[in-house]
Amino acid sequence: DTAVSQTPKYLVTQMGNDKSIKCEQNLGHDTMYWYKQDSKKFLKIMFSYNNKELIINETVPNRFSPKSPDKAHLNLHINSLELGDSAVYFCASSQERTDTQYFGPGTRLTVL
Amino acid sequence: AQSVSQHNHHVILSEAASLELGCNYSYGGTVNLFWYVQYPGQHLQLLLKYFSGDPLVKGIKGFEAEFIKSKFSFNLRKPSVQWSDTAEYFCAVNAYTGTASKLTFGTGTRLQVTL
């Protein structure tokens, strides 16, 4: 059973397009996150939701908009994609905000 | 703001060699500490964690880490590495006060184990 799943695994698209990445966790956790891993493997948090409420919103362009329809799902929508958005995006979840975070398999986004 | 430093960016070891990867953080308050591993093309997996208690924690696959509060360090060790340990290793610190908390990652250390 997959604990944290993401779709799609790979996403190749043109500049200017709008795309979404979906994340689901079946761990019953209250908190979910989106991270961006750049080409140098550096991981940085983008957003965090706790029970569908946004609690962390790092310095991320407005083109990125997270949506949490319920506490098991946290989707990431990106408008007007740019070359610099190319990265691997990881979803994660944890029971409490300070607890261990469990990561999804990642979505490799390539913007051409 | 908290920060995490991993001083070794790329480490190359022969099989059976001992490993120590450094991790230092800057934050004076309460912290939870983690080491994650990312095998090539895969997602992050938890190796071990420290929340409280014995500062020497043991994780999966023979890894251990020691929390030294006075040095703000949480170094990862393994007495004898295997080829299958080739991966990227990330130290992470969750510093929290009240209800606010955030997990901050180090820049990662790429471990390459040769046969």
Side-chain angles (χ1 to χ4, degrees), chain A residues 3 5 18 22-23 25 33-34 37 41 46-47 50 53 55 62 67-68 70 74 76 82 91 93 95 110:
Chain A
S5 58
D18 303 338
K22 294 186 177 181
C23 177
Q25 54 96 2
Y33 312 82
W34 276 110
Q37 186 176 45
K41 301 284 189 181
M46 300 171 70
F47 302 103
N50 181 259
E53 181 185 343
I55 54 171
N62 291 338
K67 283 187 173 52
S68 182
D70 55 61
L74 180 61
L76 184 65
E82 299 178 358
C91 177
S93 73
Q95 181 55 44
T110 304

Side-chain angles (χ1 to χ4, degrees), chain A residues 13 15-17 19 63 78-82 85 109 111:
Chain A
T13 188
M15 266 175 46
N17 284 350
K19 290 293 178 185
R63 301 182 292 103
I78 316 169
N79 289 328
S80 304
L81 278 155
E82 299 178 358
D85 297 332
L109 172 64
V111 183

